[in-house]
Amino acid sequence: MKKLDGLRHESRCNRLATTLCACPNVTPDATEQRSKTAFRPAEGFCVAKEAAGTRVEGADGEAGLRRGGTAMAGGNDFQWCFSQVKGAIDEDVAEADIISTVEFNYSGELLATGDKGGRVVIFQREQESKNRPHSRGEYNVYSTFQSHEPEFDYLKSLEIEEKINKIRWLPQQNAAHFLLSTNDKTIKLWKISERDKRAEGYNLKDEDGRLRDPFRITSLRVPVLMPMDLMVEASPRRIFANAHTYHINSISVNSDHETYLSADDLRINLWHLEITDRSFNIVDIKPANMEELTEVITAAECHPHQCNVFVYSSSKGTIRLCDMRAAALCDRHTKFFEEPEDPSSRSFFSEIISSISDVKFSHSGRYMMTRDYLSVKVWDLNMENRPVETYQVHEYLRSKLCSLYENDCIFDKFECCWNGSDGAIMTGSYNNFFRMFDRNSRRDITLEASRESSKPRAMLKPRKVCAGGKRKKDEISVDSLDFNKKILHTAWHPKENVIAVAATNNLYIFQDKIN
């Protein structure tokens, strides 16, 4: 029996629609993948060039982003410098140590990472030093815990990996912090709390914990709280399981702070944070006959201010905005965002590279940003027919799509993020490069996360890739790029110019130069 390709959360989940439905007798959780010889492009689908929107080019690596996306006082260009790097330096990286998600909390004081080994590591920002009042504190390990363990579904003969797919923080309501973490099947709500006091002077047990003989107790005493070394505890408060047949690719906390949505390849569910035994299915695109499957859901997110609005993207490069007030089942979208196709750009790989790997609302809620394989696009929620801005991330790879298909890199899913003021955006690339785009000045820059430039306060030098012709001294040839070094996950501090970049098993933290 041939297996359904494209419904895994792994690198090939965004294959062409025809690849998804070309196999008869499909099974939903199949883990085997079809031979590439069966691959064929669908008719009429391509990634459109910049027929509309703003194409940003030319300044690649030559200009820095400005503070918060606006001009700095005196007109000086914005510069980034190295702050920290976390992780081992070993050449041989264990698969379990590869970082799979990065997320700041709402205040930016905590930074969480998840890895393929099912672990969550939380970093806390230290207080500013008295000796250097203008310098910002570093992020140090606050808590580490095992969020998920590998499991096996005996009914479907399917291994469930422990890899953390997404982490999402909840707004802080009290002294404790809460976050959601998910692997392919199970979502967990974790409580992160501190304890620096312990109770002493119990009546029914000694200080070492042994029970006392009740008949020998002649007087009652009141237990007292005594100081102790600070201990950070991570405890699972809720476990949301058994609601997804396919692999979960997104979770998003709603603006009402009571509900959240989770999305897999074919369905989106709405959960209440206090209820674990049921959820509401709000989107279901699974056809009655799986041979008619034409697309899969790749990402979903709630609107930052309107709790009834959410969007989800598909492997066809389209985005649907839904309003839960319209109907309980949001199969009929409210708005449909799709860029007009340019027939001249159609190629064998057009639909693969047009598949959207990430979608993010701006903090204001007016715009949303999508990332496909070669570009980042910014959409105005009031204009559905084309993006208002288009930024080329690594256009020089267009001529390398054949080799990228052969080594499966073409199925890599890059994420993107906004800065706190929505004036700049960031996304990753290969060779440990990451790209930043200033929406106001239309400038862009390519930077590298490398231990070679990991000296304290060392300035990051802009990098430039030579696509062909004579290579300049400070350029790197496109043929020299290391495709095993890739930056898929990035995060931007919600209030300051501090960024976190995940490069394989290392977490790099950069900040703007302030001293």
Side-chain angles (χ1 to χ4, degrees):
M1 179 184 296
K2 294 184 178 180
K3 302 291 186 179
L4 174 65
D5 180 65
L7 294 184
R8 280 188 60 83
H9 182 80
E10 301 304 323
S11 62
R12 298 192 182 187
C13 74
N14 292 333
R15 287 192 182 273
L16 289 180
T18 51
T19 311
L20 290 170
C21 60
C23 301
N25 303 324
V26 291
T27 56
D29 277 305
T31 59
E32 298 181 9
Q33 297 176 337
R34 270 191 317 115
S35 169
K36 294 178 182 177
T37 56
F39 174 89
R40 58 185 177 87
E43 293 295 329
F45 297 101
C46 68
V47 57
K49 290 183 178 178
E50 283 61 51
T54 304
R55 181 171 182 172
V56 181
E57 57 184 338
D60 182 7
E62 297 178 357
L65 288 181
R66 300 186 176 188
R67 185 187 301 272
T70 60
M72 293 178 61
N76 295 324
D77 282 337
F78 180 68
Q79 294 179 314
W80 291 93
C81 65
F82 172 82
S83 178
Q84 295 174 263
V85 59
K86 307 289 186 180
I89 317 177
D90 301 339
E91 291 286 337
D92 297 330
V93 179
E95 183 77 11
D97 294 334
I98 296 177
I99 299 173
S100 56
T101 184
V102 181
E103 187 79 7
F104 280 102
N105 73 336
Y106 281 77
S107 67
E109 295 303 305
L110 297 179
L111 172 63
T113 65
D115 60 28
K116 291 189 175 181
R119 297 180 296 264
V120 172
V121 180
I122 301 176
F123 301 91
Q124 183 184 45
R125 197 176 198 178
E126 301 296 333
Q127 298 297 321
E128 294 182 357
S129 172
K130 294 181 179 179
N131 298 329
R132 302 178 62 193
H134 298 291
S135 64
R136 285 176 237 161
E138 294 185 341
Y139 285 88
N140 293 317
V141 175
Y142 179 64
S143 177
T144 302
F145 58 93
Q146 188 73 30
S147 175
H148 288 74
E149 299 281 357
E151 301 177 38
F152 190 82
D153 189 331
Y154 292 96
L155 293 177
K156 300 178 181 178
S157 297
L158 178 70
E159 291 184 4
I160 303 173
E161 295 181 344
E162 65 271 33
K163 171 191 169 188
I164 306 298
N165 293 336
K166 294 291 180 183
I167 290 175
R168 290 292 180 265
W169 290 93
L170 274 65
Q172 188 175 5
Q173 306 290 344
N174 49 44
H177 299 273
F178 291 86
L179 63 82
L180 290 167
S181 63
T182 183
N183 65 350
D184 287 338
K185 297 292 184 180
T186 304
I187 306 165
K188 296 183 180 181
L189 174 65
W190 291 89
K191 178 183 179 182
I192 316 298
S193 57
E194 297 181 354
R195 190 170 67 177
D196 58 0
K197 293 181 176 62
R198 69 173 183 270
E200 292 185 358
Y202 289 102
N203 290 285
L204 298 179
K205 62 181 179 181
D206 295 326
E207 301 303 330
D208 57 1
R210 291 183 299 177
L211 294 177
R212 300 174 61 188
D213 186 354
F215 296 101
R216 295 185 178 182
I217 299 176
T218 58
S219 62
L220 294 178
R221 51 184 176 176
V222 178
V224 295
L225 293 175
M226 301 296 292
M228 59 176 284
D229 293 337
L230 179 66
M231 184 184 348
V232 180
E233 297 178 321
S235 55
R237 302 309 300 268
R238 305 280 188 276
I239 297 179
F240 307 88
N242 305 319
H244 285 277
T245 305
Y246 306 96
H247 291 64
I248 299 172
N249 55 49
S250 301
I251 52 175
S252 180
V253 180
N254 211 337
S255 60
D256 58 12
H257 304 159
E258 293 183 350
T259 58
Y260 74 93
L261 62 81
S262 59
D264 63 26
D265 297 305
L266 296 179
R267 297 186 180 98
I268 300 177
N269 293 334
L270 181 68
W271 300 82
H272 193 284
L273 288 167
E274 299 293 331
I275 302 173
T276 61
D277 59 349
R278 65 182 181 274
S279 63
F280 296 96
N281 178 230
I282 55 177
V283 173
D284 188 350
I285 65 170
K286 181 182 178 181
N289 183 359
M290 286 293 285
E291 293 184 6
E292 299 173 359
L293 182 65
T294 59
E295 61 182 333
V296 295
I297 298 170
T298 57
E301 185 171 70
C302 296
H303 192 278
H305 306 302
Q306 302 175 28
C307 62
N308 52 285
V309 175
F310 68 95
V311 295
Y312 67 93
S313 58
S314 80
S315 56
K316 280 188 175 181
T318 61
I319 311 102
R320 293 170 173 84
L321 183 144
C322 301
D323 191 335
M324 288 184 280
R325 297 174 300 182
L329 188 62
C330 300
D331 285 347
R332 294 184 178 181
H333 51 266
T334 304
K335 291 188 176 183
F336 183 77
F337 299 85
E338 182 178 25
E339 185 174 16
E341 66 171 298
D342 183 357
S344 64
S345 68
R346 183 183 304 170
S347 72
F348 182 80
F349 306 103
S350 292
E351 192 169 344
I352 299 180
I353 62 177
S354 67
S355 175
I356 295 174
S357 57
D358 195 18
V359 57
K360 294 282 177 61
F361 277 109
S362 63
H363 296 88
S364 66
R366 171 67 185 272
Y367 301 96
M368 66 178 174
M369 170 174 53
T370 59
R371 172 69 204 265
D372 56 43
Y373 188 67
L374 294 179
S375 64
V376 173
K377 297 173 183 176
V378 177
W379 302 77
D380 189 325
L381 296 188
N382 297 324
M383 190 170 76
E384 305 172 44
N385 58 345
R386 61 193 62 195
V388 293
E389 301 163 29
T390 299
Y391 302 95
Q392 297 302 324
V393 178
H394 37 219
E395 182 67 16
Y396 47 78
L397 294 181
R398 189 175 291 273
S399 61
K400 302 289 183 181
L401 293 179
C402 185
S403 58
L404 291 169
Y405 176 74
E406 290 298 325
N407 61 19
D408 277 351
C409 285
I410 200 171
F411 303 106
D412 287 335
K413 294 182 289 182
F414 293 93
E415 296 177 2
C416 52
C417 60
W418 301 85
N419 74 333
S421 65
D422 298 333
I425 57 181
M426 175 174 60
T427 190
S429 183
Y430 294 103
N431 207 67
N432 276 1
F433 289 168
F434 58 98
R435 300 271 281 142
M436 291 184 174
F437 304 94
D438 189 321
R439 299 182 58 209
N440 297 306
S441 66
R442 297 294 185 250
R443 292 188 173 186
D444 64 295
I445 188 172
T446 302
L447 300 173
E448 181 181 8
S450 170
R451 286 188 177 269
E452 296 177 0
S453 58
S454 60
K455 296 179 181 179
R457 312 295 296 170
M459 300 299 302
L460 296 187
K461 296 180 179 179
R463 304 304 301 268
K464 191 170 185 179
V465 178
C466 176
K470 189 175 181 180
R471 181 172 62 90
K472 297 180 181 179
K473 182 179 179 181
D474 58 343
E475 294 180 340
I476 180 173
S477 171
V478 66
D479 297 322
S480 302
L481 297 176
D482 189 345
F483 293 102
N484 292 319
K485 295 180 179 179
K486 60 191 75 173
I487 292 179
L488 303 177
H489 315 287
T490 60
W492 203 312
H493 191 288
K495 300 177 182 178
E496 300 177 16
N497 280 320
V498 177
I499 58 174
V501 174
T504 316
N505 66 322
N506 292 317
L507 178 69
Y508 290 85
I509 300 176
F510 303 104
Q511 64 184 30
D512 60 339
K513 185 175 177 60
I514 58 175
N515 293 328

